[in-house]
Amino acid sequence: MDDIVKAAMAKWPNVPHCYGWLGLDARGNWYMRDDRTQAQGPFPASKGSLLKHDKLIEFIHRNYAADAQGQWYFQNGPQRVYVELEAMPWIWRLQPEGGVLSHTGLPARVQESLLDESGRLYLVTDLGVGLVHSADMNLAADAVEAGRWRPAEVRADALPVRFGFIPHPQALQAA
């Protein structure tokens, strides 16, 4: 986490959390969801505006974390901005030499691979569980064919409970 963020948290410790304003899609893209977008429906049915500002995206990546309940958030100064997840808290990008990077650019070590009923491939890593980016499925197929990964079958709807994450923190707050 950035030092400036830590300082803001210490200076203003009681800033209310923010829900529904930020979404992460299944390709690792961030979406800003204003009031109008939120009124049109939940994420990802109503995505909002794709973030394109590189410095803002880098700031989000450096300050992306999960709380004790498994809700993922971006620490924006003193405020936690909870993230609506289309798929998973991590989106994996596979590297030609065999490495795995998170959508935030962090390297990850694969511990297990999973395949759901729709053919989506998930990797369980030292960072947590995530979805392999759709553009990287050829590299994933190479890893499976080479025997580096042996995907076990899994139901997609079982993943949040099994791995302890909450895809839609906003819905949890509304309940």
mmCIF file of all heavy atoms in Angstrom, residues 32-84:
data_model
loop_
_atom_site.group_PDB
_atom_site.id
_atom_site.type_symbol
_atom_site.label_atom_id
_atom_site.label_comp_id
_atom_site.label_asym_id
_atom_site.label_seq_id
_atom_site.Cartn_x
_atom_site.Cartn_y
_atom_site.Cartn_z
ATOM 1 N N MET A 32 -15.697 2.436 -13.521
ATOM 2 C CA MET A 32 -16.256 3.383 -12.569
ATOM 3 C C MET A 32 -17.765 3.382 -12.764
ATOM 4 O O MET A 32 -18.248 3.510 -13.898
ATOM 5 C CB MET A 32 -15.685 4.791 -12.806
ATOM 6 C CG MET A 32 -16.123 5.795 -11.777
ATOM 7 S SD MET A 32 -15.566 5.403 -10.109
ATOM 8 C CE MET A 32 -13.805 5.574 -10.275
ATOM 9 N N ARG A 33 -18.506 3.254 -11.665
ATOM 10 C CA ARG A 33 -19.958 3.123 -11.734
ATOM 11 C C ARG A 33 -20.620 4.263 -10.952
ATOM 12 O O ARG A 33 -20.748 4.185 -9.745
ATOM 13 C CB ARG A 33 -20.358 1.761 -11.183
ATOM 14 C CG ARG A 33 -19.640 0.609 -11.902
ATOM 15 C CD ARG A 33 -20.063 -0.739 -11.383
ATOM 16 N NE ARG A 33 -21.448 -0.983 -11.769
ATOM 17 C CZ ARG A 33 -22.451 -1.091 -10.918
ATOM 18 N NH1 ARG A 33 -22.247 -1.002 -9.619
ATOM 19 N NH2 ARG A 33 -23.677 -1.293 -11.349
ATOM 20 N N ASP A 34 -21.049 5.277 -11.651
ATOM 21 C CA ASP A 34 -21.682 6.410 -10.985
ATOM 22 C C ASP A 34 -23.114 6.064 -10.566
ATOM 23 O O ASP A 34 -23.593 4.951 -10.811
ATOM 24 C CB ASP A 34 -21.624 7.658 -11.871
ATOM 25 C CG ASP A 34 -22.357 7.497 -13.197
ATOM 26 O OD1 ASP A 34 -23.156 6.545 -13.360
ATOM 27 O OD2 ASP A 34 -22.132 8.335 -14.083
ATOM 28 N N ASP A 35 -23.805 7.022 -9.953
ATOM 29 C CA ASP A 35 -25.179 6.782 -9.478
ATOM 30 C C ASP A 35 -26.095 6.313 -10.597
ATOM 31 O O ASP A 35 -26.902 5.403 -10.409
ATOM 32 C CB ASP A 35 -25.755 8.056 -8.846
ATOM 33 C CG ASP A 35 -25.202 8.338 -7.466
ATOM 34 O OD1 ASP A 35 -24.862 7.371 -6.751
ATOM 35 O OD2 ASP A 35 -25.122 9.519 -7.087
ATOM 36 N N ARG A 36 -25.992 6.968 -11.774
ATOM 37 C CA ARG A 36 -26.858 6.612 -12.895
ATOM 38 C C ARG A 36 -26.614 5.165 -13.331
ATOM 39 O O ARG A 36 -27.551 4.406 -13.570
ATOM 40 C CB ARG A 36 -26.613 7.573 -14.060
ATOM 41 C CG ARG A 36 -27.699 7.480 -15.132
ATOM 42 C CD ARG A 36 -27.430 8.408 -16.301
ATOM 43 N NE ARG A 36 -26.815 7.544 -17.304
ATOM 44 C CZ ARG A 36 -25.669 7.787 -17.924
ATOM 45 N NH1 ARG A 36 -25.002 8.863 -17.711
ATOM 46 N NH2 ARG A 36 -25.188 6.944 -18.799
ATOM 47 N N THR A 37 -25.353 4.776 -13.417
ATOM 48 C CA THR A 37 -25.012 3.409 -13.806
ATOM 49 C C THR A 37 -25.541 2.413 -12.783
ATOM 50 O O THR A 37 -26.125 1.390 -13.148
ATOM 51 C CB THR A 37 -23.482 3.254 -13.942
ATOM 52 O OG1 THR A 37 -23.019 4.162 -14.943
ATOM 53 C CG2 THR A 37 -23.092 1.842 -14.317
ATOM 54 N N GLN A 38 -25.357 2.711 -11.506
ATOM 55 C CA GLN A 38 -25.831 1.808 -10.460
ATOM 56 C C GLN A 38 -27.351 1.663 -10.497
ATOM 57 O O GLN A 38 -27.885 0.580 -10.254
ATOM 58 C CB GLN A 38 -25.369 2.295 -9.094
ATOM 59 C CG GLN A 38 -23.872 2.160 -8.899
ATOM 60 C CD GLN A 38 -23.424 2.625 -7.545
ATOM 61 O OE1 GLN A 38 -23.980 2.204 -6.536
ATOM 62 N NE2 GLN A 38 -22.425 3.498 -7.516
ATOM 63 N N ALA A 39 -28.070 2.744 -10.831
ATOM 64 C CA ALA A 39 -29.532 2.703 -10.909
ATOM 65 C C ALA A 39 -30.008 1.824 -12.063
ATOM 66 O O ALA A 39 -31.136 1.317 -12.036
ATOM 67 C CB ALA A 39 -30.086 4.121 -11.058
ATOM 68 N N GLN A 40 -29.139 1.606 -13.062
ATOM 69 C CA GLN A 40 -29.500 0.782 -14.215
ATOM 70 C C GLN A 40 -29.358 -0.707 -13.945
ATOM 71 O O GLN A 40 -29.758 -1.525 -14.752
ATOM 72 C CB GLN A 40 -28.658 1.178 -15.423
ATOM 73 C CG GLN A 40 -28.962 2.564 -15.934
ATOM 74 C CD GLN A 40 -28.000 3.006 -17.031
ATOM 75 O OE1 GLN A 40 -27.013 2.347 -17.330
ATOM 76 N NE2 GLN A 40 -28.289 4.145 -17.623
ATOM 77 N N GLY A 41 -28.751 -1.079 -12.824
ATOM 78 C CA GLY A 41 -28.640 -2.489 -12.483
ATOM 79 C C GLY A 41 -27.290 -2.837 -11.900
ATOM 80 O O GLY A 41 -26.370 -2.023 -11.889
ATOM 81 N N PRO A 42 -27.177 -4.079 -11.414
ATOM 82 C CA PRO A 42 -25.929 -4.516 -10.774
ATOM 83 C C PRO A 42 -24.817 -4.770 -11.790
ATOM 84 O O PRO A 42 -25.068 -4.956 -12.981
ATOM 85 C CB PRO A 42 -26.336 -5.819 -10.078
ATOM 86 C CG PRO A 42 -27.460 -6.338 -10.897
ATOM 87 C CD PRO A 42 -28.200 -5.127 -11.414
ATOM 88 N N PHE A 43 -23.593 -4.781 -11.293
ATOM 89 C CA PHE A 43 -22.422 -5.127 -12.095
ATOM 90 C C PHE A 43 -22.430 -6.630 -12.300
ATOM 91 O O PHE A 43 -22.735 -7.374 -11.365
ATOM 92 C CB PHE A 43 -21.152 -4.700 -11.336
ATOM 93 C CG PHE A 43 -19.901 -4.810 -12.132
ATOM 94 C CD1 PHE A 43 -19.569 -3.845 -13.062
ATOM 95 C CD2 PHE A 43 -19.040 -5.873 -11.959
ATOM 96 C CE1 PHE A 43 -18.406 -3.938 -13.805
ATOM 97 C CE2 PHE A 43 -17.879 -5.978 -12.693
ATOM 98 C CZ PHE A 43 -17.561 -4.999 -13.616
ATOM 99 N N PRO A 44 -22.141 -7.146 -13.462
ATOM 100 C CA PRO A 44 -21.641 -6.497 -14.658
ATOM 101 C C PRO A 44 -22.717 -6.135 -15.687
ATOM 102 O O PRO A 44 -22.376 -5.628 -16.753
ATOM 103 C CB PRO A 44 -20.685 -7.526 -15.232
ATOM 104 C CG PRO A 44 -21.347 -8.826 -14.927
ATOM 105 C CD PRO A 44 -21.984 -8.608 -13.564
ATOM 106 N N ALA A 45 -24.002 -6.401 -15.374
ATOM 107 C CA ALA A 45 -25.049 -6.065 -16.346
ATOM 108 C C ALA A 45 -24.993 -4.587 -16.709
ATOM 109 O O ALA A 45 -25.217 -4.206 -17.852
ATOM 110 C CB ALA A 45 -26.419 -6.438 -15.789
ATOM 111 N N SER A 46 -24.695 -3.760 -15.741
ATOM 112 C CA SER A 46 -24.515 -2.325 -15.952
ATOM 113 C C SER A 46 -23.094 -1.995 -15.508
ATOM 114 O O SER A 46 -22.839 -1.809 -14.321
ATOM 115 C CB SER A 46 -25.563 -1.554 -15.144
ATOM 116 O OG SER A 46 -25.403 -0.182 -15.326
ATOM 117 N N LYS A 47 -22.171 -1.955 -16.464
ATOM 118 C CA LYS A 47 -20.747 -1.853 -16.125
ATOM 119 C C LYS A 47 -20.303 -0.457 -15.734
ATOM 120 O O LYS A 47 -19.536 -0.297 -14.809
ATOM 121 C CB LYS A 47 -19.876 -2.349 -17.282
ATOM 122 C CG LYS A 47 -19.820 -3.854 -17.352
ATOM 123 C CD LYS A 47 -18.741 -4.322 -18.300
ATOM 124 C CE LYS A 47 -18.579 -5.818 -18.192
ATOM 125 N NZ LYS A 47 -17.544 -6.350 -19.051
ATOM 126 N N GLY A 48 -20.710 0.567 -16.467
ATOM 127 C CA GLY A 48 -20.214 1.909 -16.205
ATOM 128 C C GLY A 48 -19.128 2.292 -17.182
ATOM 129 O O GLY A 48 -19.058 1.785 -18.298
ATOM 130 N N SER A 49 -18.238 3.189 -16.757
ATOM 131 C CA SER A 49 -17.194 3.737 -17.619
ATOM 132 C C SER A 49 -15.877 2.987 -17.426
ATOM 133 O O SER A 49 -15.375 2.897 -16.305
ATOM 134 C CB SER A 49 -16.967 5.211 -17.297
ATOM 135 O OG SER A 49 -18.151 5.940 -17.473
ATOM 136 N N LEU A 50 -15.327 2.493 -18.513
ATOM 137 C CA LEU A 50 -14.034 1.812 -18.484
ATOM 138 C C LEU A 50 -12.952 2.802 -18.083
ATOM 139 O O LEU A 50 -12.831 3.877 -18.684
ATOM 140 C CB LEU A 50 -13.720 1.228 -19.861
ATOM 141 C CG LEU A 50 -12.350 0.579 -20.042
ATOM 142 C CD1 LEU A 50 -12.216 -0.657 -19.164
ATOM 143 C CD2 LEU A 50 -12.128 0.233 -21.503
ATOM 144 N N LEU A 51 -12.183 2.457 -17.058
ATOM 145 C CA LEU A 51 -11.069 3.321 -16.661
ATOM 146 C C LEU A 51 -9.924 3.121 -17.645
ATOM 147 O O LEU A 51 -9.529 1.992 -17.940
ATOM 148 C CB LEU A 51 -10.596 2.989 -15.252
ATOM 149 C CG LEU A 51 -11.567 3.286 -14.118
ATOM 150 C CD1 LEU A 51 -10.934 2.947 -12.772
ATOM 151 C CD2 LEU A 51 -12.008 4.736 -14.141
ATOM 152 N N LYS A 52 -9.367 4.253 -18.118
ATOM 153 C CA LYS A 52 -8.283 4.202 -19.088
ATOM 154 C C LYS A 52 -7.061 4.986 -18.635
ATOM 155 O O LYS A 52 -6.025 4.913 -19.275
ATOM 156 C CB LYS A 52 -8.758 4.759 -20.432
ATOM 157 C CG LYS A 52 -9.860 3.938 -21.068
ATOM 158 C CD LYS A 52 -10.305 4.517 -22.380
ATOM 159 C CE LYS A 52 -11.405 3.667 -22.987
ATOM 160 N NZ LYS A 52 -11.861 4.204 -24.262
ATOM 161 N N HIS A 53 -7.175 5.718 -17.559
ATOM 162 C CA HIS A 53 -6.072 6.559 -17.084
ATOM 163 C C HIS A 53 -5.019 5.665 -16.417
ATOM 164 O O HIS A 53 -5.246 5.091 -15.347
ATOM 165 C CB HIS A 53 -6.609 7.598 -16.100
ATOM 166 C CG HIS A 53 -5.625 8.649 -15.747
ATOM 167 N ND1 HIS A 53 -4.657 8.456 -14.788
ATOM 168 C CD2 HIS A 53 -5.455 9.901 -16.231
ATOM 169 C CE1 HIS A 53 -3.932 9.551 -14.677
ATOM 170 N NE2 HIS A 53 -4.398 10.449 -15.547
ATOM 171 N N ASP A 54 -3.857 5.539 -17.048
ATOM 172 C CA ASP A 54 -2.826 4.605 -16.591
ATOM 173 C C ASP A 54 -2.396 4.844 -15.146
ATOM 174 O O ASP A 54 -2.238 3.888 -14.381
ATOM 175 C CB ASP A 54 -1.600 4.655 -17.502
ATOM 176 C CG ASP A 54 -1.863 4.057 -18.873
ATOM 177 O OD1 ASP A 54 -2.808 3.256 -19.007
ATOM 178 O OD2 ASP A 54 -1.124 4.394 -19.816
ATOM 179 N N LYS A 55 -2.198 6.092 -14.763
ATOM 180 C CA LYS A 55 -1.737 6.392 -13.395
ATOM 181 C C LYS A 55 -2.795 6.006 -12.367
ATOM 182 O O LYS A 55 -2.464 5.493 -11.293
ATOM 183 C CB LYS A 55 -1.360 7.867 -13.245
ATOM 184 C CG LYS A 55 -0.189 8.282 -14.108
ATOM 185 C CD LYS A 55 1.090 7.602 -13.675
ATOM 186 C CE LYS A 55 2.262 8.072 -14.506
ATOM 187 N NZ LYS A 55 3.457 7.310 -14.291
ATOM 188 N N LEU A 56 -4.076 6.234 -12.665
ATOM 189 C CA LEU A 56 -5.157 5.847 -11.759
ATOM 190 C C LEU A 56 -5.218 4.326 -11.627
ATOM 191 O O LEU A 56 -5.332 3.791 -10.519
ATOM 192 C CB LEU A 56 -6.498 6.398 -12.232
ATOM 193 C CG LEU A 56 -7.726 5.950 -11.439
ATOM 194 C CD1 LEU A 56 -7.602 6.310 -9.956
ATOM 195 C CD2 LEU A 56 -8.996 6.537 -12.041
ATOM 196 N N ILE A 57 -5.103 3.632 -12.746
ATOM 197 C CA ILE A 57 -5.132 2.165 -12.720
ATOM 198 C C ILE A 57 -3.949 1.622 -11.910
ATOM 199 O O ILE A 57 -4.117 0.716 -11.091
ATOM 200 C CB ILE A 57 -5.157 1.602 -14.155
ATOM 201 C CG1 ILE A 57 -6.492 1.968 -14.821
ATOM 202 C CG2 ILE A 57 -4.937 0.096 -14.159
ATOM 203 C CD1 ILE A 57 -6.524 1.739 -16.322
ATOM 204 N N GLU A 58 -2.770 2.187 -12.101
ATOM 205 C CA GLU A 58 -1.593 1.766 -11.325
ATOM 206 C C GLU A 58 -1.809 2.008 -9.832
ATOM 207 O O GLU A 58 -1.420 1.179 -8.997
ATOM 208 C CB GLU A 58 -0.346 2.509 -11.809
ATOM 209 C CG GLU A 58 0.107 2.084 -13.188
ATOM 210 C CD GLU A 58 1.170 3.008 -13.777
ATOM 211 O OE1 GLU A 58 1.700 3.883 -13.042
ATOM 212 O OE2 GLU A 58 1.468 2.866 -14.973
ATOM 213 N N PHE A 59 -2.429 3.141 -9.483
ATOM 214 C CA PHE A 59 -2.726 3.461 -8.079
ATOM 215 C C PHE A 59 -3.704 2.436 -7.497
ATOM 216 O O PHE A 59 -3.501 1.938 -6.384
ATOM 217 C CB PHE A 59 -3.303 4.886 -7.992
ATOM 218 C CG PHE A 59 -3.605 5.351 -6.606
ATOM 219 C CD1 PHE A 59 -2.600 5.490 -5.660
ATOM 220 C CD2 PHE A 59 -4.908 5.676 -6.239
ATOM 221 C CE1 PHE A 59 -2.879 5.938 -4.365
ATOM 222 C CE2 PHE A 59 -5.197 6.127 -4.964
ATOM 223 C CZ PHE A 59 -4.180 6.257 -4.025
ATOM 224 N N ILE A 60 -4.734 2.096 -8.256
ATOM 225 C CA ILE A 60 -5.688 1.071 -7.801
ATOM 226 C C ILE A 60 -4.949 -0.252 -7.593
ATOM 227 O O ILE A 60 -5.131 -0.911 -6.562
ATOM 228 C CB ILE A 60 -6.850 0.916 -8.804
ATOM 229 C CG1 ILE A 60 -7.731 2.172 -8.800
ATOM 230 C CG2 ILE A 60 -7.683 -0.331 -8.485
ATOM 231 C CD1 ILE A 60 -8.767 2.214 -9.908
ATOM 232 N N HIS A 61 -4.119 -0.634 -8.531
ATOM 233 C CA HIS A 61 -3.390 -1.904 -8.433
ATOM 234 C C HIS A 61 -2.516 -1.967 -7.184
ATOM 235 O O HIS A 61 -2.459 -3.001 -6.513
ATOM 236 C CB HIS A 61 -2.523 -2.128 -9.676
ATOM 237 C CG HIS A 61 -3.323 -2.465 -10.888
ATOM 238 N ND1 HIS A 61 -2.751 -2.570 -12.134
ATOM 239 C CD2 HIS A 61 -4.638 -2.714 -11.067
ATOM 240 C CE1 HIS A 61 -3.684 -2.889 -13.022
ATOM 241 N NE2 HIS A 61 -4.837 -2.966 -12.392
ATOM 242 N N ARG A 62 -1.842 -0.876 -6.870
ATOM 243 C CA ARG A 62 -0.953 -0.872 -5.696
ATOM 244 C C ARG A 62 -1.725 -0.915 -4.377
ATOM 245 O O ARG A 62 -1.168 -1.284 -3.344
ATOM 246 C CB ARG A 62 -0.071 0.376 -5.708
ATOM 247 C CG ARG A 62 1.007 0.383 -6.745
ATOM 248 C CD ARG A 62 2.018 1.503 -6.522
ATOM 249 N NE ARG A 62 1.426 2.813 -6.305
ATOM 250 C CZ ARG A 62 1.108 3.685 -7.264
ATOM 251 N NH1 ARG A 62 1.320 3.371 -8.521
ATOM 252 N NH2 ARG A 62 0.591 4.858 -6.957
ATOM 253 N N ASN A 63 -2.990 -0.540 -4.403
ATOM 254 C CA ASN A 63 -3.771 -0.410 -3.174
ATOM 255 C C ASN A 63 -4.999 -1.318 -3.178
ATOM 256 O O ASN A 63 -6.011 -1.024 -2.549
ATOM 257 C CB ASN A 63 -4.154 1.061 -2.980
ATOM 258 C CG ASN A 63 -2.922 1.914 -2.800
ATOM 259 O OD1 ASN A 63 -2.293 1.888 -1.760
ATOM 260 N ND2 ASN A 63 -2.534 2.633 -3.846
ATOM 261 N N TYR A 64 -4.897 -2.440 -3.868
ATOM 262 C CA TYR A 64 -5.965 -3.437 -4.005
ATOM 263 C C TYR A 64 -5.727 -4.536 -2.972
ATOM 264 O O TYR A 64 -4.626 -5.081 -2.881
ATOM 265 C CB TYR A 64 -5.914 -3.990 -5.431
ATOM 266 C CG TYR A 64 -6.940 -5.030 -5.794
ATOM 267 C CD1 TYR A 64 -8.302 -4.755 -5.751
ATOM 268 C CD2 TYR A 64 -6.545 -6.289 -6.226
ATOM 269 C CE1 TYR A 64 -9.236 -5.701 -6.130
ATOM 270 C CE2 TYR A 64 -7.463 -7.241 -6.616
ATOM 271 C CZ TYR A 64 -8.818 -6.940 -6.566
ATOM 272 O OH TYR A 64 -9.738 -7.891 -6.946
ATOM 273 N N ALA A 65 -6.752 -4.839 -2.190
ATOM 274 C CA ALA A 65 -6.599 -5.830 -1.112
ATOM 275 C C ALA A 65 -7.967 -6.398 -0.747
ATOM 276 O O ALA A 65 -8.996 -5.979 -1.277
ATOM 277 C CB ALA A 65 -5.953 -5.167 0.111
ATOM 278 N N ALA A 66 -7.959 -7.334 0.185
ATOM 279 C CA ALA A 66 -9.206 -7.927 0.692
ATOM 280 C C ALA A 66 -9.287 -7.705 2.191
ATOM 281 O O ALA A 66 -8.263 -7.685 2.882
ATOM 282 C CB ALA A 66 -9.246 -9.421 0.383
ATOM 283 N N ASP A 67 -10.526 -7.557 2.679
ATOM 284 C CA ASP A 67 -10.715 -7.447 4.127
ATOM 285 C C ASP A 67 -10.906 -8.839 4.721
ATOM 286 O O ASP A 67 -10.875 -9.850 4.013
ATOM 287 C CB ASP A 67 -11.861 -6.489 4.469
ATOM 288 C CG ASP A 67 -13.247 -6.994 4.071
ATOM 289 O OD1 ASP A 67 -13.406 -8.194 3.729
ATOM 290 O OD2 ASP A 67 -14.188 -6.178 4.110
ATOM 291 N N ALA A 68 -11.125 -8.906 6.022
ATOM 292 C CA ALA A 68 -11.246 -10.185 6.725
ATOM 293 C C ALA A 68 -12.474 -10.984 6.284
ATOM 294 O O ALA A 68 -12.504 -12.201 6.431
ATOM 295 C CB ALA A 68 -11.278 -9.942 8.231
ATOM 296 N N GLN A 69 -13.480 -10.324 5.720
ATOM 297 C CA GLN A 69 -14.687 -11.010 5.256
ATOM 298 C C GLN A 69 -14.549 -11.558 3.835
ATOM 299 O O GLN A 69 -15.432 -12.259 3.365
ATOM 300 C CB GLN A 69 -15.889 -10.059 5.282
ATOM 301 C CG GLN A 69 -16.373 -9.700 6.663
ATOM 302 C CD GLN A 69 -17.586 -8.792 6.549
ATOM 303 O OE1 GLN A 69 -17.454 -7.605 6.285
ATOM 304 N NE2 GLN A 69 -18.747 -9.372 6.723
ATOM 305 N N GLY A 70 -13.460 -11.200 3.152
ATOM 306 C CA GLY A 70 -13.284 -11.634 1.779
ATOM 307 C C GLY A 70 -13.850 -10.658 0.764
ATOM 308 O O GLY A 70 -14.053 -11.008 -0.398
ATOM 309 N N GLN A 71 -14.102 -9.431 1.190
ATOM 310 C CA GLN A 71 -14.543 -8.391 0.277
ATOM 311 C C GLN A 71 -13.302 -7.678 -0.255
ATOM 312 O O GLN A 71 -12.471 -7.222 0.523
ATOM 313 C CB GLN A 71 -15.429 -7.368 0.994
ATOM 314 C CG GLN A 71 -16.687 -7.978 1.573
ATOM 315 C CD GLN A 71 -17.465 -6.944 2.353
ATOM 316 O OE1 GLN A 71 -18.460 -6.435 1.861
ATOM 317 N NE2 GLN A 71 -17.016 -6.622 3.551
ATOM 318 N N TRP A 72 -13.199 -7.570 -1.572
ATOM 319 C CA TRP A 72 -12.047 -6.918 -2.191
ATOM 320 C C TRP A 72 -12.323 -5.439 -2.325
ATOM 321 O O TRP A 72 -13.457 -5.022 -2.570
ATOM 322 C CB TRP A 72 -11.727 -7.577 -3.529
ATOM 323 C CG TRP A 72 -11.088 -8.906 -3.280
ATOM 324 C CD1 TRP A 72 -11.723 -10.076 -2.966
ATOM 325 C CD2 TRP A 72 -9.698 -9.185 -3.229
ATOM 326 N NE1 TRP A 72 -10.795 -11.064 -2.742
ATOM 327 C CE2 TRP A 72 -9.549 -10.538 -2.899
ATOM 328 C CE3 TRP A 72 -8.562 -8.417 -3.448
ATOM 329 C CZ2 TRP A 72 -8.313 -11.151 -2.778
ATOM 330 C CZ3 TRP A 72 -7.321 -9.013 -3.327
ATOM 331 C CH2 TRP A 72 -7.201 -10.379 -3.001
ATOM 332 N N TYR A 73 -11.277 -4.645 -2.131
ATOM 333 C CA TYR A 73 -11.437 -3.195 -2.163
ATOM 334 C C TYR A 73 -10.172 -2.525 -2.669
ATOM 335 O O TYR A 73 -9.107 -3.129 -2.736
ATOM 336 C CB TYR A 73 -11.792 -2.661 -0.770
ATOM 337 C CG TYR A 73 -10.689 -2.851 0.253
ATOM 338 C CD1 TYR A 73 -9.724 -1.877 0.461
ATOM 339 C CD2 TYR A 73 -10.606 -4.022 1.006
ATOM 340 C CE1 TYR A 73 -8.692 -2.060 1.386
ATOM 341 C CE2 TYR A 73 -9.598 -4.207 1.935
ATOM 342 C CZ TYR A 73 -8.642 -3.228 2.117
ATOM 343 O OH TYR A 73 -7.626 -3.407 3.020
ATOM 344 N N PHE A 74 -10.335 -1.260 -2.999
ATOM 345 C CA PHE A 74 -9.239 -0.364 -3.354
ATOM 346 C C PHE A 74 -9.198 0.681 -2.255
ATOM 347 O O PHE A 74 -10.204 1.323 -1.965
ATOM 348 C CB PHE A 74 -9.520 0.231 -4.737
ATOM 349 C CG PHE A 74 -8.970 1.593 -4.994
ATOM 350 C CD1 PHE A 74 -7.622 1.868 -4.844
ATOM 351 C CD2 PHE A 74 -9.799 2.615 -5.420
ATOM 352 C CE1 PHE A 74 -7.119 3.135 -5.111
ATOM 353 C CE2 PHE A 74 -9.315 3.875 -5.693
ATOM 354 C CZ PHE A 74 -7.972 4.131 -5.532
ATOM 355 N N GLN A 75 -8.053 0.795 -1.589
ATOM 356 C CA GLN A 75 -7.897 1.786 -0.513
ATOM 357 C C GLN A 75 -7.557 3.118 -1.158
ATOM 358 O O GLN A 75 -6.441 3.349 -1.616
ATOM 359 C CB GLN A 75 -6.809 1.359 0.471
ATOM 360 C CG GLN A 75 -6.736 2.216 1.698
ATOM 361 C CD GLN A 75 -7.919 2.009 2.623
ATOM 362 O OE1 GLN A 75 -8.311 0.874 2.913
ATOM 363 N NE2 GLN A 75 -8.501 3.089 3.103
ATOM 364 N N ASN A 76 -8.538 4.002 -1.227
ATOM 365 C CA ASN A 76 -8.399 5.313 -1.860
ATOM 366 C C ASN A 76 -8.216 6.352 -0.760
ATOM 367 O O ASN A 76 -9.186 6.900 -0.257
ATOM 368 C CB ASN A 76 -9.634 5.628 -2.706
ATOM 369 C CG ASN A 76 -9.513 6.934 -3.446
ATOM 370 O OD1 ASN A 76 -8.415 7.400 -3.721
ATOM 371 N ND2 ASN A 76 -10.647 7.526 -3.766
ATOM 372 N N GLY A 77 -6.969 6.580 -0.393
ATOM 373 C CA GLY A 77 -6.721 7.478 0.749
ATOM 374 C C GLY A 77 -7.341 6.849 1.988
ATOM 375 O O GLY A 77 -7.149 5.668 2.251
ATOM 376 N N PRO A 78 -8.155 7.607 2.725
ATOM 377 C CA PRO A 78 -8.752 7.051 3.938
ATOM 378 C C PRO A 78 -9.996 6.199 3.676
ATOM 379 O O PRO A 78 -10.545 5.615 4.603
ATOM 380 C CB PRO A 78 -9.117 8.301 4.734
ATOM 381 C CG PRO A 78 -9.406 9.326 3.694
ATOM 382 C CD PRO A 78 -8.420 9.034 2.575
ATOM 383 N N GLN A 79 -10.454 6.133 2.434
ATOM 384 C CA GLN A 79 -11.705 5.439 2.132
ATOM 385 C C GLN A 79 -11.478 4.123 1.403
ATOM 386 O O GLN A 79 -10.712 4.054 0.441
ATOM 387 C CB GLN A 79 -12.599 6.332 1.269
ATOM 388 C CG GLN A 79 -13.960 5.718 0.998
ATOM 389 C CD GLN A 79 -14.840 6.667 0.226
ATOM 390 O OE1 GLN A 79 -14.460 7.158 -0.823
ATOM 391 N NE2 GLN A 79 -16.018 6.922 0.766
ATOM 392 N N ARG A 80 -12.191 3.091 1.857
ATOM 393 C CA ARG A 80 -12.204 1.816 1.146
ATOM 394 C C ARG A 80 -13.307 1.864 0.103
ATOM 395 O O ARG A 80 -14.467 2.114 0.412
ATOM 396 C CB ARG A 80 -12.488 0.658 2.097
ATOM 397 C CG ARG A 80 -11.309 0.241 2.891
ATOM 398 C CD ARG A 80 -11.602 -1.025 3.660
ATOM 399 N NE ARG A 80 -10.416 -1.377 4.431
ATOM 400 C CZ ARG A 80 -10.343 -2.428 5.219
ATOM 401 N NH1 ARG A 80 -11.394 -3.232 5.348
ATOM 402 N NH2 ARG A 80 -9.232 -2.686 5.865
ATOM 403 N N VAL A 81 -12.924 1.586 -1.137
ATOM 404 C CA VAL A 81 -13.876 1.512 -2.235
ATOM 405 C C VAL A 81 -13.999 0.031 -2.585
ATOM 406 O O VAL A 81 -13.099 -0.551 -3.190
ATOM 407 C CB VAL A 81 -13.400 2.333 -3.451
ATOM 408 C CG1 VAL A 81 -14.392 2.213 -4.601
ATOM 409 C CG2 VAL A 81 -13.179 3.793 -3.053
ATOM 410 N N TYR A 82 -15.106 -0.580 -2.144
ATOM 411 C CA TYR A 82 -15.285 -2.010 -2.364
ATOM 412 C C TYR A 82 -15.583 -2.303 -3.830
ATOM 413 O O TYR A 82 -16.262 -1.540 -4.512
ATOM 414 C CB TYR A 82 -16.379 -2.554 -1.454
ATOM 415 C CG TYR A 82 -15.853 -2.747 -0.054
ATOM 416 C CD1 TYR A 82 -15.972 -1.743 0.904
ATOM 417 C CD2 TYR A 82 -15.179 -3.912 0.280
ATOM 418 C CE1 TYR A 82 -15.452 -1.909 2.178
ATOM 419 C CE2 TYR A 82 -14.651 -4.081 1.545
ATOM 420 C CZ TYR A 82 -14.790 -3.080 2.480
ATOM 421 O OH TYR A 82 -14.263 -3.251 3.735
ATOM 422 N N VAL A 83 -15.048 -3.431 -4.313
ATOM 423 C CA VAL A 83 -15.074 -3.782 -5.730
ATOM 424 C C VAL A 83 -16.132 -4.837 -6.004
ATOM 425 O O VAL A 83 -16.196 -5.867 -5.329
ATOM 426 C CB VAL A 83 -13.681 -4.314 -6.168
ATOM 427 C CG1 VAL A 83 -13.693 -4.747 -7.625
ATOM 428 C CG2 VAL A 83 -12.609 -3.261 -5.924
ATOM 429 N N GLU A 84 -16.941 -4.563 -7.029
ATOM 430 C CA GLU A 84 -17.890 -5.536 -7.547
ATOM 431 C C GLU A 84 -17.124 -6.406 -8.545
ATOM 432 O O GLU A 84 -16.513 -5.884 -9.490
ATOM 433 C CB GLU A 84 -19.055 -4.835 -8.243
ATOM 434 C CG GLU A 84 -19.911 -4.006 -7.302
ATOM 435 C CD GLU A 84 -20.698 -4.857 -6.328
ATOM 436 O OE1 GLU A 84 -21.384 -5.800 -6.776
ATOM 437 O OE2 GLU A 84 -20.613 -4.580 -5.112
#
